Amino acid sequence: IYMKRILFFCSFLFLTLSIYGQKKTTPTTSILTKQVLAGLKADSAKTNPKAQSSPKRRKLVQIADTLTQTDYMMSIARVNDALNSIRDSSELGFESVRLEREIKDIAGDIRLIRQNIRDKHSAVNIKNIYLYQSFAAALDKDNSRFRNRVNQLYYRTYHAKLHLKKALTDSVFLALNAEKDIPVMLDKKLFRLERKWKRTDSIVKANIDSINVLKVITADNAMNLSNMLYRMDQKLDRAKPQLFGQEANFLWQLRKDAKSASDTTMTLNILSSERKAIGYYLNESTGKKEFMLFLGLLVFIWLYSKRKLLKILSEENTTYRFMHLHYLNSFPYLSLLVLILCLMPFFDPFAPTSVIAIEYFILLAAVSIILFKKTAQSFQSYWFAFALLYLADTLTYLLIGPTWIERVWMLAIHVTIFVYALSFYRKLTKQTPYYKLIKPAIFIGMILAALAVISNVIGRFSLSGILGLSGIFAITQILFLPVFVDTFVELILLQLLSSRLKKGDDRPFDCEIVMNKIRMPLVLVSIILWLIMLTSNLNIFYNISNAIIAALTAIRTIGSISFQLISVILFFVIIWFAHILQRFVSFLFGETGSEIEDET
């Protein structure tokens, strides 16, 4: 009996010591989960102040032993997919690099425009102001578009940041982190998941910082462009009264105010201003110039492929005498250069005066060479006189200031323009080619030259320069636009003949049928080109184009129908253009459009 009691006592004592000697274990939580839970608690405390005084515990899972290893694996997979989705949505990629480059380019253009508009000209140079205003308005639109895109990227990345905080709030995933004994396989996955979370968090933060930098630059660009456009509007508002106001004394009065700078310094300042305007314009209009060069290259290649046929036509062969080619048979490539340069006003309505002058110097030289052998002696004398007057008036407008001697020189040029234009106008007859096109243009040029003379005499120096330059432009341009029309017609005739010869048809055809069908659209294009240059030189193209665009795009309502005039006009223009294109296509494939082929 005593032995049983002693044995029972020893067993009880050993069992008690064993239980007491075991180490207490507490559930472990990973550092990542602790950080997330702490953030969630802080957020809940901010959004729910009552939670600090009376916290309510919520049971996230049922019972720990009801969750299996499969449940834990699925929770890890869900968290992993959420992190991948967050990382993908916050990824910026090459788009951010492109946006950053273009936004910084806008900032550079803004600095360049600001430097250029600070230059002062003795005369009012409204064309350059319109040039910078058009570029600044285009930059403002681009900057607004980039700004909206940056805001979209910011919202997407910021939402990714918010979802990152909630990525680890899966109830089963929290239960897994609370487990005291985690299998080795799950522990490794948790370790890799923690590293992915940290990398994703750093990427999201870095992307938000980058986007914030872009937001600052776009906001700064928007503010600078707004101020710049406001300053340009002020300059234009001041320029209009200055143009029509008296800038200098009457011509018969001696100039009382002394010059603040020498003529050489003033000329250098003007040249520097024009050089900056040319550099900026060429830099911003590279795409247009490349398009024109590409178009001209294609036409030159096509014309080069027809060199053998051109050689036959230039030999005045009796077989093809009916073609009557005036320009392509003697100056094919020079005529093509004139054709390309005549189309430049479609791409250069806001070009600086110096840029247009350089282009027209080349154009006038090419036209002078062509007309030297293709026109009568009387017309040649007038043409070369107008070309020299254009050269003198352009250089005078660009380089001189409102001093008395220079004003007398400008007055002499404008009087000469008026006299020669009046003499040429009187000699025009109805037999003159393109009489209905040339006569009104010469008359308008005479009026502008007369107004330039009057403006100069009464002290409106800047207005006199603008009117005189517009007048000589109107006269010279209308004289070489017929070369543009005839060259285009001859190109069509050359392609028509080439297509017929390829088909084995060498019969003569009536060229008048083709010329009558395509000349009218080309004359219309010539009138539009002439009007663009006239309004551009008078510095009213910007206002007229904006007024026309506003009138055409305004919403108009008739009953329950709303429409825009531009839509109606485009409808008829497309139909008319399709009709014209049908003619051109038939000509290109050798069809003359006549039911009976002439065999004269």
Side-chain angles (χ1 to χ4, degrees):
I1 295 174
Y2 289 106
M3 290 298 294
K4 291 181 178 180
R5 291 179 178 179
I6 292 171
L7 183 60
F8 177 76
F9 177 77
C10 292
S11 300
F12 177 78
L13 181 62
F14 177 77
L15 182 60
T16 303
L17 292 175
S18 299
I19 294 173
Y20 183 78
Q22 289 183 356
K23 185 178 179 180
K24 296 182 179 180
T25 59
T26 57
T28 60
T29 305
S30 66
I31 298 175
L32 178 62
T33 310
K34 287 180 180 179
Q35 293 176 355
V36 176
L37 291 177
L40 293 174
K41 289 179 181 179
D43 294 339
S44 63
K46 291 179 182 179
T47 56
N48 188 12
K50 296 181 180 180
Q52 298 178 359
S53 58
S54 58
K56 296 181 180 180
R57 298 180 180 178
R58 183 176 297 175
K59 192 172 183 180
L60 300 178
V61 294
Q62 297 176 354
I63 303 175
D65 55 10
T66 61
L67 296 174
T68 63
Q69 187 173 352
T70 303
D71 296 328
Y72 292 145
M73 287 293 296
M74 293 178 65
S75 68
I76 292 175
R78 286 194 297 270
V79 173
N80 183 71
D81 292 340
L83 292 179
N84 290 334
S85 177
I86 291 170
R87 189 167 182 175
D88 292 338
S89 61
S90 64
E91 190 71 27
L92 298 180
F94 292 105
E95 183 182 8
S96 63
V97 178
R98 180 183 60 83
L99 281 174
E100 182 179 5
R101 183 181 67 253
E102 292 180 344
I103 291 171
K104 289 183 178 179
D105 288 343
I106 291 177
D109 291 337
I110 292 173
R111 288 192 295 269
L112 187 58
I113 293 177
R114 186 184 292 114
Q115 293 175 0
N116 290 347
I117 62 177
R118 288 174 182 172
D119 293 327
K120 295 182 179 180
H121 197 289
S122 57
V124 180
N125 197 337
I126 296 181
K127 177 167 281 191
N128 284 357
I129 299 177
Y130 278 130
L131 169 70
Y132 294 130
Q133 188 182 48
S134 63
F135 279 128
L139 290 176
D140 189 45
K141 291 181 180 179
D142 293 339
N143 187 71
S144 299
R145 188 175 71 253
F146 295 147
R147 193 175 186 181
N148 293 333
R149 184 54 187 160
V150 168
N151 288 333
Q152 293 176 0
L153 292 177
Y154 177 79
Y155 292 142
R156 191 184 73 186
T157 309
Y158 183 74
H159 283 219
K161 181 181 179 181
L162 296 179
H163 291 162
L164 186 63
K165 293 182 178 180
K166 301 178 181 179
L168 304 181
T169 58
D170 185 83
S171 58
V172 179
F173 184 77
L174 294 176
L176 173 62
N177 280 274
E179 282 291 328
K180 58 182 179 180
D181 293 326
I182 300 177
V184 177
M185 181 181 65
L186 294 180
D187 187 59
K188 290 182 178 180
K189 291 184 178 297
L190 285 175
F191 178 74
R192 289 195 294 267
L193 199 63
E194 182 176 353
R195 292 179 59 185
K196 177 180 285 189
W197 190 92
K198 290 180 179 179
R199 288 195 302 269
T200 305
D201 182 59
S202 62
I203 290 173
V204 171
K205 289 180 179 178
N207 290 343
I208 288 179
D209 293 339
S210 301
I211 295 175
N212 284 330
V213 172
L214 296 181
K215 289 180 68 177
V216 171
I217 298 176
T218 53
D220 185 61
N221 289 344
M223 182 178 63
N224 291 333
L225 287 169
S226 178
N227 295 335
M228 190 177 297
L229 290 171
Y230 176 74
R231 286 181 57 192
M232 290 179 184
D233 289 336
Q234 284 185 325
K235 281 193 172 188
L236 290 173
D237 292 338
R238 290 195 300 266
K240 293 175 182 177
Q242 184 178 352
L243 277 176
F244 295 97
Q246 189 172 359
E247 300 176 72
N249 295 327
F250 293 109
L251 193 61
W252 59 84
Q253 295 176 342
L254 293 176
R255 185 176 177 87
K256 298 180 180 180
D257 53 327
K259 291 184 290 185
S260 59
S262 63
D263 293 341
T264 304
T265 303
M266 183 178 61
T267 303
L268 291 176
N269 291 335
I270 296 172
L271 290 175
S272 176
S273 176
E274 288 298 321
R275 179 181 58 82
K276 292 178 180 179
I278 292 173
Y280 183 76
Y281 173 77
L282 294 179
N283 182 56
E284 293 299 320
S285 60
T286 305
K288 297 178 182 179
K289 302 298 182 184
E290 291 177 350
F291 173 76
M292 289 301 298
L293 288 175
F294 177 73
L295 180 63
L297 181 62
L298 290 180
V299 182
F300 270 101
I301 292 174
W302 172 84
L303 190 61
Y304 182 77
S305 65
K306 310 296 181 184
R307 62 188 183 279
K308 294 182 179 179
L309 181 58
L310 284 173
K311 185 177 180 180
I312 296 174
L313 295 175
S314 63
E315 294 174 353
E316 296 292 335
N317 194 307
T318 56
T319 305
Y320 304 109
R321 191 180 297 274
F322 67 94
M323 294 287 291
H324 300 293
L325 300 183
H326 298 288
Y327 302 115
L328 290 182
N329 59 351
S330 300
F331 303 98
Y333 300 106
L334 203 60
S335 302
L336 196 56
L337 178 63
V338 172
L339 177 66
I340 298 299
L341 290 177
C342 285
L343 294 174
M344 293 306 294
F346 280 129
F347 303 93
D348 293 335
F350 299 111
T353 305
S354 50
V355 173
I356 297 177
I358 293 173
E359 294 176 354
Y360 269 66
F361 287 158
I362 301 173
L363 183 58
L364 290 179
V367 173
S368 299
I369 295 173
I370 294 173
L371 296 181
F372 183 73
K373 292 185 177 181
K374 293 296 180 181
T375 56
Q377 186 70 29
S378 58
F379 181 82
Q380 290 180 10
S381 60
Y382 280 108
W383 167 254
F384 286 109
F386 287 132
L388 291 175
L389 287 171
Y390 165 80
L391 178 63
D393 191 42
T394 303
L395 294 176
T396 301
Y397 175 77
L398 291 174
L399 300 179
I400 73 170
T403 61
W404 189 85
I405 296 177
E406 292 166 342
R407 286 175 61 189
V408 171
W409 168 253
M410 179 181 284
L411 179 67
I413 293 176
H414 293 163
V415 170
T416 307
I417 292 174
F418 178 82
V419 171
Y420 268 90
L422 180 61
S423 176
F424 184 73
Y425 182 82
R426 289 177 176 176
K427 291 187 176 181
L428 286 175
T429 61
K430 293 184 178 181
Q431 287 72 31
T432 304
Y434 300 96
Y435 169 79
K436 295 182 179 180
L437 186 66
I438 294 176
K439 188 173 183 179
I442 299 296
F443 182 75
I444 293 174
M446 290 168 48
I447 294 176
L448 292 174
L451 292 176
V453 171
I454 298 172
S455 300
N456 192 357
V457 171
I458 62 178
R460 275 68 175 176
F461 175 76
S462 299
L463 183 61
S464 175
I466 292 174
L467 292 173
L469 189 64
S470 302
I472 192 61
F473 255 101
I475 295 172
T476 53
Q477 188 183 22
I478 203 61
L479 292 180
F480 61 67
L481 279 178
V483 180
F484 159 78
V485 175
D486 290 342
T487 301
F488 198 97
V489 171
E490 290 180 7
L491 289 174
I492 299 298
L493 291 175
L494 181 64
Q495 175 61 32
L496 194 154
L497 179 62
S498 176
S499 298
R500 291 170 67 89
L501 292 177
K502 287 181 180 179
K503 295 179 180 179
D505 187 359
D506 58 350
R507 294 176 299 168
F509 58 90
D510 190 359
C511 295
E512 290 296 327
I513 297 176
V514 180
M515 296 170 65
N516 293 334
K517 288 183 178 180
I518 65 177
R519 183 173 288 166
M520 183 54 66
L522 295 175
V523 171
L524 180 60
V525 171
S526 300
I527 294 174
I528 294 174
L529 289 171
W530 186 83
L531 290 175
I532 289 175
M533 287 308 304
L534 178 64
T535 55
S536 177
N537 289 319
L538 290 174
N539 298 313
I540 58 176
F541 176 81
Y542 186 83
N543 295 330
I544 292 178
S545 61
N546 286 344
I548 293 175
I549 291 173
L552 294 179
T553 56
I555 303 297
R556 305 177 188 276
T557 304
I558 298 179
S560 59
I561 301 175
S562 298
F563 65 95
Q564 293 178 330
L565 286 178
I566 186 65
S567 302
V568 179
I569 294 175
L570 283 177
F571 173 75
F572 290 103
V573 169
I574 290 173
I575 294 177
W576 178 74
F577 183 75
H579 177 62
I580 299 299
L581 188 62
Q582 182 183 6
R583 293 180 181 177
F584 284 172
V585 171
S586 64
F587 295 152
L588 294 179
F589 286 96
E591 300 294 334
T592 62
S594 59
E595 296 181 359
I596 302 175
E597 296 290 346
D598 293 333
E599 297 183 1
T600 58

